[in-house]
Amino acid sequence: MTQAPSSLPTETDAEPSIATVGDKAGPALPAGLTADDLVEVCRQMILVRAMDERIWMMNRQGKVPIAASCQGHEAAQLGSLLAAQKDGDCFLFPYYRDLALKMAVGLTPRQVMLSFMGKDGEPYSGARQFPLQGADLPRNIIQISNVVAAGLTQSVGYALGCKMLGDDTVTLCYFGDGATSQGETHEAMNFAAIHKLPVVFVCENNKFAISTPQESQMVVSDVAARAEGYGFPGFVIDGLDVIACYEATRQAIEHARNVGPALIEMKVERFMPHTTDDDDRRYRDRDALDEARQYDPVTLFPAQMVDQGIATPAQIDEFRTDAQSQVNDATDFADAAQPPDASTIYDHLYV
Amino acid sequence: MAEMTVIEAVRSALHEEMERDERVFVMGEDVGQRGGVFLATQGFIEDFGPQRVMDTPLAEASIMGIALGAAFRGMRPIPEVQFSDFVWPSVNQLIGEAARSHYGTNGALKVPMTVRIPYGGGIRGGLFHSQNVEALFFHTPGLLVVTPSTPYEAKGLLKSAIRDDNPVIFLEHKKTYRLVRGEVPDEEYTLPIGPADVKRAGSDVTVVSYGLSMHYCLAAAATVADDGISAEVVDLRTLKPLDSETILESVQKTGKLLIVHEDNISGGIGAEVAALAADEAFEYLDAPIARLCGPDVPTMPFAQSLEDAYMPSPESIAAEIRRLAAY
Ligand SMILES: Cc1ncc(C[n+]2csc(CCOP(=O)(O)OP(=O)(O)O)c2C)c(N)n1
Ligand SMILES: [Mg+2]
């Protein structure tokens, strides 16, 4: 599935080609990354997976009304986020499947569990919306909506605002393959191109929109191919490879800041049904799914880091133990928390 | 005081606010070099440049989504919908997104955006250049809906809308643009969003209206005055929030209520005003509440005869006032 991406043109075009990164043979670290960063990604991945599994379980216990799992998307989200964090001046418009990203920006497991259980203190919307949806402005995140693709034009408008105000900020907008069928996706990309806005479009392509496979959504094999039609670069990246996602995003951010929009398509896998309400046995080939799970980044990436001597087995074990205890604590905490008071229903309707 | 038309008042408000605050900018189809199809932004591109007087691609959903995103960043966008009939592609961004951005983030985000929409008929616009779109926005918590009827109000309310941190749907009746003239103060002023205005005081019948049809109500009130009927005309000015106090005060005085609008009768503003009076002024009513509104067809058809059949007129309003007065 990996397709060799070519390097993104930038005004200061002295960057290594993305094609050379994600090469599992050598331990050479791409620009700006330290061993500590990668160890930290291992920790986050393990924590997010433990959280994701627990959330699903709490749904089955009737305590989480709805959840969209990010299993299979972790490498894409965390690699991409790492580039945004290293850059230090990025604003994010994620979508509902971006649990790993939304946690890794600094939400505590307790806050996340409050959100999934719809309790008071929920950080995005005061539990008015689906989990982790609304805004987390202290961490530069807006996601107003469940309406697929509605965030794309908003992210472009945000970037326009940044440009008009003279900010250096780059806006990153995340969405699924399904979102690329919406008219607003086209409108957003076209407008961003016309005004050379500092936006990075990140498509997390898991090849399904609920049950609808990619071949029923489009005839092209790569969403990234559409970028050419808007006059900006598009790249296909192995979304199971943290470092490739980091490096592609890093270059795309630089391109966005100096030149204009870029589209990165991260080919990922969706290991779980669409949401807790979905039964994917109706439409998903089990053998293909089992095969995909062989490439689970949450298993492979820590192992690779240990192989390369970047992390130790003891560290990874500690991350796992620690993740379980954090998730236990978060579950107990959120379970005991109160829902928002009904009297708040009219709060914040108008400024 | 200067006399001007509604479109001149709109232009003057926009210009003053863009001069006052650099974060204010207009965007829409043909607003730049052409100055908008109704010339609301005529000459602006010379004064403010193409970035703040932004010609957009012909794509309403993105005009609204982009305006909203820019508002999130702290800009104060004024997207223009060329004709109300073309607002539908952008409705998700208005009703789905803008209206609930503050609420859905528990107060974290503000939406300082004013959506200007030329609306309404009586101009031979047919099914796709005449629509009244207010009921849908009126139904949507989180939006403010403003419908000025005179130049004075158009200017004062538009300036308030631009300074407001909530999303405002600013509906300009396009037949009033050049038809309605009026005095506008030379000095700086704003009018608050919310309060209705009693445009003509009277004691026999309360007539509630807004926009173009408010002027027809005034004409009708003048006509029936010759027969000794005293009609009070309440101009809503703002539909959302509705000024229930002014409406109820008038109904309590006259005991009779007629609501007039061009928009379809079913589920329109008139239905809400009628429910308000029934709920809160029941003991004062001396006649059934009456509504004279557009019939339930998509909007006014193109042929003159059909358009006339659709529109409320001074004559049809006067007849309805007489009927109520005699009840
Ligand atoms: C406009 C709109 N239509 C339908 C839905 C219902 N829905 C939610 S997610 C989804 C599929 C989205 O697929 P994709 O964009 O590929 O994201 P993924 O869930 O695969 O990450 C659908 C149809 C919606 N939320 N919004
Ligand atoms: Mg998908």
Side-chain angles (χ1 to χ4, degrees), chain A:
Chain A
M1 81 161 40
T2 310
Q3 313 198 15
S6 51
S7 85
L8 293 162
T10 59
E11 274 176 358
T12 51
D13 200 6
E15 306 305 326
S17 157
I18 308 177
T20 62
V21 303
D23 176 357
K24 292 171 182 75
L29 295 172
L33 277 194
T34 66
D36 285 351
D37 296 328
L38 299 179
V39 173
E40 174 60 11
V41 171
C42 291
R43 190 189 71 79
Q44 286 169 343
M45 271 187 163
I46 289 166
L47 177 59
V48 168
R49 178 59 63 86
M51 200 70 189
D52 194 301
E53 288 172 348
R54 176 62 59 84
I55 288 164
W56 204 272
M57 192 189 293
M58 297 313 286
N59 168 267
R60 295 325 191 216
Q61 290 184 18
K63 298 202 166 168
V64 166
I66 178 89
S69 160
C70 75
Q71 291 186 38
H73 287 236
E74 294 94 340
Q77 293 173 19
L78 295 175
S80 174
L81 176 67
L82 184 56
Q85 288 177 323
K86 289 266 167 190
D87 178 80
D89 193 1
C90 289
F91 198 95
L92 312 175
F93 278 73
Y95 81 123
Y96 54 80
R97 202 172 293 292
D98 288 328
L99 173 63
L101 181 148
K102 289 171 179 173
M103 270 187 78
V105 291
L107 280 192
T108 64
R110 283 183 171 194
Q111 286 175 303
V112 173
M113 208 48 111
L114 284 176
S115 190
F116 277 86
M117 292 194 189
K119 296 294 182 73
D120 199 22
E122 194 283 330
Y124 268 68
S125 73
R128 284 152 180 219
Q129 298 222 50
F130 271 9
L132 303 181
Q133 185 168 309
D136 182 7
L137 292 185
R139 295 169 197 83
N140 289 350
I141 288 182
I142 294 176
Q143 184 209 328
I144 296 301
S145 180
N146 272 113
V147 179
V148 166
L152 274 102
T153 51
Q154 293 165 16
S155 72
V156 167
Y158 195 92
L160 174 69
C162 290
K163 188 174 173 181
M164 290 175 99
L165 291 169
D167 303 351
D168 251 354
T169 309
V170 171
T171 301
L172 277 68
C173 180
Y174 297 80
F175 51 93
D177 46 292
T180 69
S181 300
Q182 283 280 17
E184 272 193 66
T185 302
H186 157 73
E187 293 184 28
M189 291 184 182
N190 186 46
F191 188 96
I194 291 168
H195 293 276
K196 299 186 166 46
L197 295 178
V199 192
V200 180
F201 296 105
V202 183
C203 180
E204 297 177 36
N205 184 354
N206 58 21
K207 299 164 294 212
F208 282 96
I210 307 188
S211 66
T212 309
Q214 180 170 341
E215 54 277 19
S216 303
Q217 303 183 52
M218 62 190 89
V219 297
V220 290
S221 56
D222 300 319
V223 167
R226 296 190 187 164
E228 196 184 345
Y230 300 111
F232 55 73
F235 296 90
V236 180
I237 307 297
D238 177 358
L240 302 180
D241 181 337
V242 173
I243 294 174
C245 292
Y246 161 82
E247 183 56 18
T249 309
R250 187 186 72 76
Q251 291 191 27
I253 290 170
E254 207 170 298
H255 179 85
R257 184 171 286 125
N258 297 317
V259 184
L263 168 61
I264 312 175
E265 176 183 11
M266 297 176 173
K267 304 276 195 188
V268 295
E269 295 291 344
R270 195 191 82 199
F271 292 149
M272 299 295 282
H274 173 65
T275 64
T276 44
D277 287 343
D278 180 34
D279 179 357
D280 65 353
R281 288 169 301 187
R282 291 169 180 277
Y283 58 86
R284 206 141 177 212
D285 181 83
R286 306 325 283 177
D287 292 340
L289 184 56
D290 288 345
E291 162 70 15
R293 284 180 180 280
Q294 305 294 306
Y295 301 95
D296 185 347
V298 179
T299 313
L300 292 188
F301 186 67
Q304 187 190 331
M305 291 302 102
V306 169
D307 273 359
Q308 295 181 4
I310 289 172
T312 65
Q315 269 176 316
I316 303 298
D317 284 347
E318 192 191 316
F319 291 157
R320 291 193 204 288
T321 316
D322 190 48
Q324 281 312 320
S325 67
Q326 284 197 62
V327 169
N328 287 341
D329 168 76
T331 310
D332 294 345
F333 176 82
D335 202 16
Q338 294 300 308
D341 195 281
S343 68
T344 62
I345 191 166
Y346 286 108
D347 290 355
H348 302 301
L349 182 54
Y350 292 96
V351 177

Side-chain angles (χ1 to χ4, degrees), chain B residues 6-15 40 116 154 158 170 172 177:
Chain B
V6 169
I7 191 69
E8 285 165 349
V10 165
R11 190 183 301 136
S12 158
L14 290 173
H15 204 279
R116 287 187 46 251
L158 182 51
F170 198 85
E172 302 163 8
Y177 270 158

